[in-house]
Amino acid sequence: MELNKKNKKTRRDFLKLSSAIAGSVAFYSMFKPIESVANRKTDVTEREHWYGFGFDIEKCIGCGLCAKACKIENDVPREPFFFRTWVEQYTIKNGHIIKDENVIVESPNGGIDGFTQSVPDKEIFKSFFVPKTCNHCYKAPCVQVCPVGATFETPDGVVLVDDSYCVGCGYCIQACPYGARYLHPEKKTADKCTFCYHRLKKGLAPACVDVCPTGARMYGDLDDKEGPLVQFIKNHTCRVLKPHLNTKPKLFYNALNEEVR
Amino acid sequence: MPKHILRLIILFVIVIGLFLVARQFLIPESFGEYGHYRANSIEENANHDIKYVDRAECAECHDDIAALKQGGPHKNINCQTCHGPGNLHIEDPTPENIVKETEREFCGRCHNKNAARAKLIKQIDINEHNIESKCIECHNPHEPWN
Amino acid sequence: MEHFDQLYQALNEVVGYIYPNEIELRWSILIVLYPYITGLVAGAFILASLNRVFEIKALKPTYEISLLAALAFLLVATMPLIFHLGHPERFYELMMTPHSSSAMAIFGFVYLWYLMVVLLLEIWFDYRRDFVVWSQESKGLKKFLYKVLTLGSNDISPKALKLDDKLGYIITVVGIPSAFLLHGYVGFIFGSVKANPWWSSVMMPVIFLLSAMVSGIALILVTYMVINYFRKQKIDMLCLDSIGKYLFYTIIIDFTLESLDQIHRIYEAEESFDIISLLISGKLFFTMSIMQVLAGTLIPLFILGFFQFYKPKEKIRKTAYLISGILVLVGIFFMRWNVVIGGQLFSKSFYGFTSYKIGLIGGEGMLAAGVWMVVPILILVFLLWLLPPWKKQHSGG
């Protein structure tokens, strides 16, 4: 009798325990997807590098050779509608500084053929070049929206496209706030700057960085506190593009004016 | 349970079953290894051929020109910035497979007058400065500051 | 290449500055059709559900028509989407490795749920008794099709029919939130793109849903009239008036919400405001102010509103309902156009515009788009031939 009762009790305990476990598993599995939407990071403690760019607007002279080298190095279609990197010239005219109509932005053929000054000197308040490329965002909207997982951030921080898996829906192109993506006209898949991943892995600098005659473009390891990129960010007043969108770019600009979008 | 409901349920079970079976075959290899993507794609991206070669390789044959260039403000400029990618030239060093820029416009990319580069480097107005001749007729392209 | 010729032309028409990759407008007419068609589906279904769940007797003659129209358009809804992909043959990847953080990835599942579980089942339970009867009465192909549709069970005992009715009702109840989900979700695909201020709005799913209801109700209004015209049957004016009434109410809510969204935008006047106001007064003036607001909203609103107070002769009302219905359908099409195309006309640098000219031929031309609008109508004709609502035996359920 006594034994039987005890047995019953443990059985009930067992049932309680197992249902509690089952319940919490079900509860957890309900929240797992939510968590993965909000915080879709894989464990990156074991990464060897975490790559980022540093662009110095004060040093860029608008030769456009970076954009040209990029097209050659990566077989980017030569038509003027597809760019992995490009250079913009901003010219702010004399007059009302705050108004947008006094800001002139140009990027003829992405700057590949160089720039010709279009506004006469006496009308210019300020002019500068801005090199642009994929920001390899830490919270990349393109990665977030890709429906099939064909674009992703590698453990070392580079946002890449899997062109054998991309369906070519174009959602990532819409989601990129920086206009860094295009649909490759032959491959029919999304395409963008790869940080010259094939060069990085061979110990070489990205082509645009390598050919830059003034050192306006640099790259480095954001994990390496003594490295050139972190030191560049430390010693200059650096900003990222469109910080309000919270995409956390890994491309840092020195001397970025607020007119630049 | 009426027969038609039972058959309906069986139909649904078959469809869902087929879907689950198809998934086993259609999810690519290496998918999900690091995250929601094909891990092999990282390697595929890394396997492309390079065209702009290691900048140190040029000096192995052209040590004289490299030395010339060392003496002035162009010393940090990669040879391939002006000469284009060196991959073909390194395999088969002939003058035909390397770019030799000779036109004024090319030098003008950096040195033509432009308000945006005013303070940074030496500039001339390409439309006024010695318009009759090419830059390289007076300036040695590997030592233009002399 | 013709594609590049178009792009060179667009390059010449760029106003101000746009990012060099933005010259090509990535989502074309086919992506306009996608929310348009899904909207028609959701709207038609919601009308059918109103009918069944809230037992609105006046709408009875449109119940099956609404369901069949919803099915006809739903079968085509994915087509423009798939054919717009760079790699249509890779579409299955969306079902195999759906990315949990992507608003688009869930589409396949939302779609299948709605098609397989809600719509097909509701129609099946509604028609099952008729399948059995018809499979015994008809001959040839029809007999075979009905036979397959019965799933080999001829059980039409009162008990079985009662169960059918009950299950059908449950599915309808489940179906209403599903229809809301389907189209609210389509709105979310656009509304969640934070890079694009013309799209990024919490109101987007709600607006898409309401405009879906507007377009779906208008579709049923027009379809009902056209079917009766071809069948030479007298139109049930009570039914028509009730559809008109519901159309009127939904347009009011839809228009209010859309206005609220715009007023909010204007009052907040964020960074993107200047370029958006240029967009509305310039490139979107015709499609938005004229087609969407004036022709698609204000004129039908006026006509339908007028009928709520005063009902002229039947003949005038019929003509006016038909015109209003068509105007609303056109108006909602342009609403989708203004969202999808409008959102890509301005640069994300907010410094300029690209242009979009729709071609006549080609996979993304006007003709292809026309085909995707005609196919559902053909499917509907087939469905009406196979499952004529007017031959159904209405008893008990």
Side-chain angles (χ1 to χ4, degrees), chain A residues 36 83 88 143-148 163 165-169 171 173-176 179 183 187 242 245 259 261, chain C residues 8 17 19-21 26-27 86-87 90 93 97 99-102 105 189 194-195 271 344 348-351:
Chain A
S36 69
F83 294 88
E88 296 166 351
V143 174
Q144 185 189 31
V145 303
C146 177
V148 299
D163 61 7
Y165 205 61
C166 171
V167 293
C169 67
Y171 203 14
I173 299 170
Q174 306 289 1
C176 175
L183 197 89
K187 292 196 281 183
K242 302 190 183 184
L245 292 178
E259 288 84 3
R261 290 184 194 132
Chain C
Y8 276 109
Y17 174 71
Y19 296 136
N21 288 330
R26 195 58 238 135
W27 283 355
H87 285 274
R90 293 182 186 169
E93 292 172 4
T97 57
H99 192 193
S100 60
S101 70
S102 167
I189 289 184
K194 67 179 170 189
E271 188 186 17
Q344 300 171 82
K348 288 180 200 140
S349 68
F350 307 151
Y351 278 122

Side-chain angles (χ1 to χ4, degrees), chain C residues 122-317:
Chain C
E122 183 165 345
I123 294 174
W124 192 72
F125 281 122
D126 188 48
Y127 272 91
R128 203 183 64 79
R129 168 207 179 95
D130 306 280
F131 292 151
V132 174
V133 175
W134 292 339
S135 72
Q136 284 152 1
E137 287 170 355
S138 29
K139 288 191 190 74
L141 176 68
K142 263 192 169 180
K143 188 183 179 78
F144 174 72
L145 289 175
Y146 293 136
K147 208 74 199 173
V148 172
L149 286 169
T150 60
L151 296 182
S153 161
N154 287 339
D155 184 4
I156 47 172
S157 62
K159 202 178 145 208
L161 290 182
K162 204 167 170 207
L163 182 67
D164 283 359
D165 191 53
K166 200 174 163 192
L167 289 172
Y169 182 82
I170 293 171
I171 289 164
T172 314
V173 173
V174 174
I176 295 177
S178 301
F180 278 47
L181 183 72
L182 177 71
H183 212 67
Y185 162 73
V186 174
F188 186 77
I189 289 184
F190 293 94
S192 63
V193 177
K194 67 179 170 189
N196 190 323
W198 184 233
W199 290 346
S200 175
S201 159
V202 277
M203 295 286 275
M204 202 59 118
V206 189
I207 289 173
F208 261 56
L209 184 62
L210 261 298
S211 56
M213 288 169 69
V214 170
S215 68
I217 296 174
L219 175 75
I220 300 309
L221 181 81
V222 173
T223 312
Y224 178 59
M225 292 181 78
V226 171
I227 289 175
N228 277 349
Y229 172 80
F230 280 111
R231 292 187 58 229
K232 299 193 176 54
Q233 294 284 313
K234 198 175 155 6
I235 289 176
D236 179 349
M237 279 317 281
L238 188 64
C239 172
L240 211 55
D241 283 334
S242 334
I243 305 180
K245 189 174 77 188
Y246 286 112
L247 186 56
F248 174 66
Y249 291 147
T250 42
I251 294 178
I252 288 182
I253 303 175
D254 181 35
F255 187 55
T256 313
L257 289 178
E258 281 187 48
S259 308
L260 198 59
D261 193 32
Q262 294 306 336
I263 291 167
H264 183 85
R265 229 183 263 282
I266 292 165
Y267 195 82
E268 277 199 341
E270 289 185 351
E271 188 186 17
S272 56
F273 177 68
D274 292 339
I275 195 87
I276 284 178
S277 55
L278 280 174
L279 177 77
I280 294 173
S281 60
K283 295 208 172 237
L284 287 188
F285 181 76
F286 175 72
T287 54
M288 190 151 177
S289 303
I290 306 291
M291 296 310 286
Q292 184 190 336
V293 177
L294 183 66
T297 308
L298 293 180
I299 294 176
L301 202 58
F302 178 77
I303 297 175
L304 297 169
F306 183 69
F307 288 174
Q308 305 307 311
F309 302 106
Y310 173 76
K311 291 207 163 40
K313 279 191 299 214
E314 275 194 14
K315 206 171 167 193
I316 299 175
R317 251 149 71 213

Side-chain angles (χ1 to χ4, degrees), chain B residues 78-96:
Chain B
N78 189 331
C79 303
Q80 297 166 97
T81 299
C82 301
H83 287 288
N87 58 329
L88 297 176
H89 187 72
I90 256 186
E91 277 171 24
D92 172 25
T94 64
E96 280 76 44

